[in-house]
């Protein structure tokens, strides 16, 4: 055995290192070593959210959400889909297409329940994803964002997605309760402003 170890120890050591490197790569790609968010928010805009703005949004939702996945923490994830200002060149157009494909992936996978937008009318015209006030899907010819969003701080608008079939976002019922809370708070705020 000593003789075998003397001639093969470097093969064994390299094999062990490669094994753990492969586990790390596969685990990171499959999310094994990453905390799963309790809810996700898709931000759609021309410029990235400043860090303090993103932190403020996360704090607001952490105060409203619960530990739905029972992992011991309330984790809110903001997925930013930043299109940037179009300059018309090939690189800019490629970047915008990549962002749109990522957003379509989010919509198809039903990752995000909430949508935070700079221009909700544009989002509704392009994807028709925003739910009516009661949570139902709009008519197939309704491409308006009116009545489907709540004005948010920083000049943004918050909307929730509708589901055209039975497949839904994780914790959709819990997210719907958060939406109802936010809508109630917004209505109270508007009443106070009117007085």
């Amino acid at each position: 055995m000593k003789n075998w170890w003397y001639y093969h120890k470097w093969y064994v050591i390299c094999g062990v290192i490669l094994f753990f490197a492969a586990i790390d790569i596969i685990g990171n790609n499959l999310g094994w070593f990453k905390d799963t968010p309790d809810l996700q928010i898709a931000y759609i805009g021309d410029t990235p959210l400043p860090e303090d703005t993103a932190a403020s949004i996360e704090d607001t939702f952490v105060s409203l959400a619960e530990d739905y996945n029972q992992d011991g923490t309330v984790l809110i994830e903001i997925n930013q889909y930043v299109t940037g200002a179009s300059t018309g060149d090939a690189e800019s157009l490629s970047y915008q297409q990549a962002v749109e494909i990522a957003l379509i992936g989010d919509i198809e996978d039903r990752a995000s329940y909430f949508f935070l937008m700079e221009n909700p009318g544009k989002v509704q015209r392009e994807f028709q994803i925003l739910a009516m006030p009661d949570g139902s899907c709009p008519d197939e010819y309704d491409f308006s964002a009116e009545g489907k969003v709540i004005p948010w701080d920083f000049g943004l608008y918050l909307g929730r997605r509708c589901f055209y079939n039975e497949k839904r976002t994780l914790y959709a019922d819990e997210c719907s309760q958060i939406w109802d809370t936010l809508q109630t708070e917004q209505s109270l705020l508007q009443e106070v402003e009117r007085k």
Side-chain angles (χ1 to χ4, degrees):
M1 188 68 176
K2 275 185 171 181
N3 191 31
W4 183 89
W5 179 249
Y6 179 79
Y7 286 105
H8 296 94
K9 68 182 170 189
W10 292 112
Y11 295 109
V12 172
I13 291 169
C14 289
V16 169
I17 291 170
L18 287 174
F19 173 76
F20 283 110
I23 291 294
D24 184 55
I25 291 169
I26 292 168
N28 284 325
N29 285 332
L30 295 176
W32 293 345
F33 310 124
K34 180 181 171 188
D35 290 334
T36 306
D38 294 289
L39 65 89
Q40 297 183 54
I41 302 166
Y43 164 72
I44 306 165
D46 292 334
T47 57
L49 284 174
E51 284 184 31
D52 58 337
T53 303
S56 171
I57 293 164
E58 288 172 5
D59 290 345
T60 299
F61 278 90
V62 164
S63 70
L64 296 169
E66 295 177 22
D67 183 14
Y68 303 131
N69 59 15
Q70 304 297 311
D71 66 355
T73 60
V74 178
L75 181 63
I76 309 301
E77 185 174 290
I78 299 177
N79 303 313
Q80 295 198 42
Y81 303 103
V82 180
T83 56
S86 178
T87 57
D89 63 348
E91 186 177 336
S92 172
L93 292 173
S94 294
Y95 177 76
Q96 287 180 337
Q97 287 175 336
V99 169
E100 188 169 321
I101 289 169
L103 176 57
I104 290 170
D106 185 311
I107 292 169
E108 290 294 318
D109 293 341
R110 291 161 178 81
S112 299
Y113 181 87
F114 295 101
F115 288 82
L116 193 62
M117 304 154 284
E118 288 180 351
N119 187 344
K122 179 181 177 190
V123 172
Q124 186 67 354
R125 283 190 303 275
E126 291 180 6
F127 302 104
Q128 202 180 24
I129 195 70
L130 300 176
M132 299 295 287
D134 64 356
S136 64
C137 291
D139 178 78
E140 63 181 306
Y141 301 108
D142 180 1
F143 294 98
S144 164
E146 190 175 327
K148 301 176 184 81
V149 294
I150 298 171
W152 198 262
D153 294 338
F154 319 109
L156 301 173
Y157 299 86
L158 183 72
R160 67 173 166 170
R161 70 167 301 145
C162 69
F163 301 97
Y164 286 97
N165 56 39
E166 294 300 312
K167 190 174 177 193
R168 298 168 51 137
T169 303
L170 282 176
Y171 317 116
D173 292 334
E174 292 84 352
C175 290
S176 181
Q177 291 173 357
I178 292 173
W179 175 263
D180 292 342
T181 301
L182 290 169
Q183 237 180 352
T184 302
E185 287 177 2
Q186 183 65 28
S187 297
L188 292 172
L189 205 76
Q190 287 174 345
E191 282 182 34
V192 169
E193 287 176 358
R194 277 187 225 128
K195 293 178 182 179

